[in-house]
Amino acid sequence: MLASSSTCMAATGPVPFKDIDNGAFPVARDPEEEFGDLVVALPRKEQFLVGRLYKGFWLPEYFAPGMLAFQRRFTPRPDDVVLTSYPKCGTTWLKALAFAAMARDAYPPAAADHPLRRLNPHACIPFMEDIFIERREAMLDGLPSPRLINTHTPYSLLPEKVTTGGGCKVVYICRDPKDMVVSLYHFIRRLQPDLSFVDTFESVLDGTVPYGPMWDHILGYWHASVMHPDRVLFLKYEDLLQNTGEHVRKLAEFMGRPFSAAEETEGTVASVVELCSFNKMKNFEANKTGTTEGNYNSMAHDAFFRKGVTGDWVNHMSSEMASRLDEIFHDKLRGTVLT
Ligand code: A3P
């Protein structure tokens, strides 16, 4: 455990966010007080999560003030890496892979005391909406560089300093929307056991799903990755599953930490892949027990590790439902190479 923010500044990042939590960081301004009026004036939709429509996206009401505070107050460092995703598309896995790859000098992935063996990936990399709503943003200053941070914020709503090339990099992960709906349904059902699959499905189709419309979320990051390939890396969950090692190399290189020839020979890539594999992570005690702190309504850690496969949608929706979803995404993503 790192003892204080001054100690942290001497260390090299990334370090687990949880390890700098010494309870001594000053409490920031309350985003509810600052942005509450703005949020309550926005169009509202009550579904499994209350949504507020802000600049074309249905933000979860609970996180909206935190997201606005992140957008307006966050100061990126040139070597920050912002891990972004549509919910239920592989955020937890991306966090684990990025942390393991980026911090491999300080924490060799095969080491028995690797932080990912004792901490849930969400405790290693902070979720911005939550950090700001919980008024813990001073902790971000206490993290040594380079920092890894995470958000579901749509590209167009990211802090301007992030998108206009403050130097920092952005990594996005998306997934087949059909599998995302299934994953979301099971996830939210942990909080709301009566949730209907059809309602979850329809919210994706009509765009009111949290952080939706999903197609606009994807398109924002896709276009940014095409325009600024040096700054925005666009990943797909399915590709990662198919060849994890290749994507870990790509990710590490993009983040400025390519694997050396010696590391290749030593099997470091394979160690990262193995450490972060679904079966390994699901069975770590830290992921079988406990809940996230604050974020996702204190979600049970095991809720982030369900099946970890592609194509589970066949067990949940009819071919007619699948076609409806495919058609709308096909239409909305027309003109891109995304299918
Ligand atoms: P399923 O519900 O389909 O199993 P997020 O992290 O964005 O909330 O996404 C959760 C999804 O990623 C879940 O999908 C979960 O099982 C899967 N997942 C979590 N860790 C994973 C890993 N290490 N490898 C592959 N998939 C993983």
Side-chain angles (χ1 to χ4, degrees):
M1 168 91 57
L2 297 168
S4 70
S5 58
S6 56
T7 323
C8 294
M9 293 314 289
T12 301
V15 298
F17 188 62
K18 174 86 177 159
D19 286 357
I20 67 155
D21 192 356
N22 60 8
F25 289 94
V27 176
R29 269 175 299 156
D30 186 356
E32 295 271 16
E33 269 173 30
E34 201 173 348
F35 303 110
D37 289 350
L38 192 163
V39 172
V40 295
L42 297 171
R44 181 177 192 275
K45 172 141 191 211
E46 182 134 12
Q47 48 183 359
F48 41 93
L49 292 181
V50 177
R52 293 284 184 173
L53 183 64
Y54 181 69
K55 300 198 173 174
F57 288 95
W58 285 97
L59 307 177
E61 182 178 60
Y62 172 76
F63 284 136
M67 207 216 73
L68 290 166
F70 166 53
Q71 186 191 51
R72 288 155 204 222
R73 290 191 210 146
F74 179 69
T75 306
R77 296 181 195 155
D79 52 3
D80 282 344
V81 179
V82 187
L83 304 177
T84 59
S85 59
Y86 195 80
K88 311 321 296 169
C89 289
T91 321
T92 314
W93 191 19
L94 176 64
K95 281 174 141 177
L97 290 169
F99 183 85
M102 192 87 162
R104 63 187 188 272
D105 285 349
Y107 310 111
D113 61 350
H114 193 281
L116 287 169
R117 293 177 199 272
R118 64 179 163 86
L119 293 172
N120 176 267
H122 297 288
C124 290
I125 301 178
F127 177 57
M128 290 300 102
E129 288 86 317
D130 184 57
I131 291 304
F132 280 83
I133 201 83
E134 303 248 313
R135 307 166 65 179
R136 292 190 291 158
E137 64 212 64
M139 285 179 70
L140 297 174
D141 297 332
L143 280 171
S145 292
R147 300 180 298 185
L148 288 171
I149 62 163
N150 163 237
T151 181
H152 291 318
T153 303
Y155 188 80
S156 57
L157 301 180
L158 284 176
E160 221 178 287
K161 285 181 200 142
V162 169
T163 53
T164 54
C168 62
K169 299 198 168 179
V170 175
V171 182
Y172 183 71
I173 187 161
C174 75
R175 184 183 195 184
D176 180 338
K178 301 192 290 302
D179 284 334
M180 186 285 296
V181 187
V182 171
S183 188
L184 181 67
Y185 166 67
H186 285 288
F187 187 74
I188 302 286
R189 235 164 48 116
R190 297 289 294 262
L191 302 168
Q192 301 172 26
D194 295 336
L195 181 70
S196 106
F197 180 71
V198 171
D199 287 352
T200 318
F201 174 84
E202 291 296 337
S203 77
V204 178
L205 272 183
D206 71 15
T208 61
V209 63
Y211 291 98
M214 186 183 178
W215 48 82
D216 283 338
H217 202 283
I218 296 172
L219 279 172
Y221 283 96
W222 169 255
H223 288 308
S225 74
V226 171
M227 283 171 67
H228 309 290
D230 53 324
R231 282 201 271 120
V232 184
L233 178 66
F234 190 99
L235 299 173
K236 293 188 227 158
Y237 180 87
E238 294 75 16
D239 293 347
L240 246 73
L241 264 188
Q242 205 170 28
N243 193 340
T244 315
E246 181 192 312
H247 286 86
V248 166
R249 285 189 187 91
K250 198 171 175 178
L251 177 63
E253 184 159 357
F254 178 79
M255 295 190 303
R257 294 283 339 266
F259 289 92
S260 66
E263 286 180 309
E264 289 286 357
T265 310
E266 285 159 13
T268 312
V269 176
S271 297
V272 169
V273 173
E274 167 75 3
L275 173 68
C276 303
S277 68
F278 183 78
N279 285 333
K280 260 267 157 52
M281 296 231 92
K282 187 180 171 72
N283 289 307
F284 289 146
E285 203 53 32
N287 295 327
K288 287 202 284 191
T289 56
T291 62
T292 52
E293 283 181 10
N295 59 351
Y296 301 109
N297 293 327
S298 296
M299 195 53 136
H301 286 152
D302 71 333
F304 293 92
F305 305 90
R306 194 183 62 91
K307 279 196 171 176
V309 297
T310 58
D312 191 34
W313 61 267
V314 293
N315 300 312
H316 293 78
M317 63 180 85
S318 63
S319 51
E320 188 263 332
M321 289 169 90
S323 300
R324 281 176 69 203
L325 206 58
D326 281 345
E327 269 167 33
I328 190 157
F329 275 85
H330 186 76
D331 188 39
K332 300 286 184 185
L333 303 181
R334 197 181 296 278
T336 72
V337 298
L338 300 168
T339 49

